[in-house]
């Protein structure tokens, strides 16, 4: 299969819905919060000039098949989810009553993330990279992450970090193959994660 990588800025805003759909195949917290949160997150990332983003498109069908996002301040992306107060409160109330365990995990992760970020002006965080399930197993995720690393280097960053669930063997394998090393393993509520880093 042939595919081409594009900068996220080349994506029409109407196609953010498709990237959010791909992300819903991820087992992490953002997808557990539900599609409205995922779509809002992508809308925020799309508008943030500091975000380095790429997406993969099938050359034959034109279908979007995967994406990657890196940011020097990933916590600022999630904090912007609260900008529309009425929307956020409505979503949180719904979450509290329909998925209380996810609500509790959100609180735990909000606290944990502060101690996890390195606040290094020369570093960038590989926040997410994901591939549509029907296109997995072809090293597309590895290529997307490598493109984020190249983009970070071109933007002047010296180091890149990532946090990956220990059971996410596909993402972990791709990240290690791209030259990352595990620097610690930690618990974040229901998640057990590896913290990884690499020089750019």
């Amino acid at each position: 299969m042939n595919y081409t990588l594009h900068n996220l800025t080349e994506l029409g805003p109407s196609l953010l819905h498709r990237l959010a759909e791909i992300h819903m195949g991820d087992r992490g917290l953002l997808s557990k919060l539900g599609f409205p949160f995922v779509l809002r997150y992508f809308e925020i990332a799309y508008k943030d000039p500091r975000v380095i983003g790429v997406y993969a498109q099938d050359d034959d069908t034109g279908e979007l098949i995967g994406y990657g996002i890196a940011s020097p301040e990933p916590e600022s992306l999630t904090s912007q989810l609260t900008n529309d107060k009425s929307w956020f409160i409505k979503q949180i109330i719904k979450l509290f009553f329909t998925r209380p365990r996810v609500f509790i995990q959100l609180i735990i992760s909000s606290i944990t993330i502060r101690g996890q970020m390195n606040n290094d002006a020369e570093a960038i965080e590989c926040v997410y990279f994901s591939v549509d399930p029907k296109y997995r197993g072809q090293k597309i995720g590895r290529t997307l992450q490598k493109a984020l690393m190249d983009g970070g280097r071109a933007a002047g960053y010296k180091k890149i970090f990532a946090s990956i669930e220990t059971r996410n063997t596909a993402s972990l394998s791709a990240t290690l193959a791209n030259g990352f090393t595990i620097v610690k393993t930690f618990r974040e509520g229901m998640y057990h994660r590896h913290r990884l880093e690499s020089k750019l």
Side-chain angles (χ1 to χ4, degrees):
M1 186 201 85
N2 296 317
Y3 62 91
T4 304
L5 298 187
H6 301 275
N7 192 295
L8 188 64
T9 58
E10 299 172 31
L11 185 71
S14 63
L15 291 176
L16 290 173
H17 192 277
R18 172 64 183 140
L19 292 189
E21 288 175 345
I22 293 171
H23 186 84
M24 288 302 291
D26 180 82
R27 295 180 300 205
L29 178 60
L30 182 60
S31 57
K32 288 186 186 305
L33 294 175
F35 189 81
F37 274 100
V38 175
L39 182 57
R40 183 65 58 95
Y41 181 90
F42 276 92
E43 290 168 347
I44 291 165
Y46 181 74
K47 293 175 184 174
D48 191 326
R50 299 167 299 172
V51 165
I52 296 170
V54 293
Y55 66 93
Q57 190 169 26
D58 187 312
D59 290 342
D60 297 323
T61 66
E63 184 178 8
L64 302 184
I65 60 176
Y67 72 90
I69 292 176
S71 171
E73 292 184 61
E75 68 278 7
S76 74
L77 298 177
T78 52
S79 69
Q80 289 180 65
L81 289 168
T82 66
N83 285 354
D84 183 339
K85 299 285 189 258
S86 62
W87 176 88
F88 183 74
I89 291 169
K90 189 185 302 181
Q91 296 299 324
I92 287 296
I93 290 171
K94 182 179 175 183
L95 184 67
F96 178 79
F97 286 108
T98 60
R99 286 165 284 160
R101 289 184 67 215
V102 176
F103 176 80
I104 292 168
Q105 180 61 51
L106 177 62
I107 293 170
I108 292 168
S109 293
S110 298
I111 295 166
T112 307
I113 196 171
R114 292 189 188 115
Q116 187 186 130
M117 299 298 117
N118 295 282
N119 298 319
D120 184 341
E122 295 189 329
I124 194 165
E125 181 87 13
C126 176
V127 187
Y128 294 113
F129 68 103
S130 189
V131 176
D132 185 301
K134 67 186 178 203
Y135 291 96
R136 289 177 184 167
Q138 302 179 63
K139 299 185 179 178
I140 299 171
R142 180 176 171 180
T143 303
L144 286 163
Q145 187 183 60
K146 181 72 169 63
L148 293 178
M149 296 172 75
D150 293 342
R153 188 180 305 109
Y157 295 103
K158 306 297 184 191
K159 194 181 286 188
I160 186 167
F161 294 94
S163 291
I164 298 176
E165 288 178 64
T166 56
R167 66 181 181 171
N168 189 345
T169 55
S171 291
L172 186 58
S173 176
T175 302
L176 291 172
N178 276 333
F180 283 73
T181 56
I182 297 171
V183 293
K184 69 176 180 177
T185 303
F186 63 99
R187 176 69 66 182
E188 184 183 315
M190 71 173 79
Y191 298 112
H192 193 225
R193 304 189 193 277
H194 290 308
R195 186 71 176 151
L196 304 99
E197 68 175 53
S198 176
K199 291 182 180 177
L200 293 177

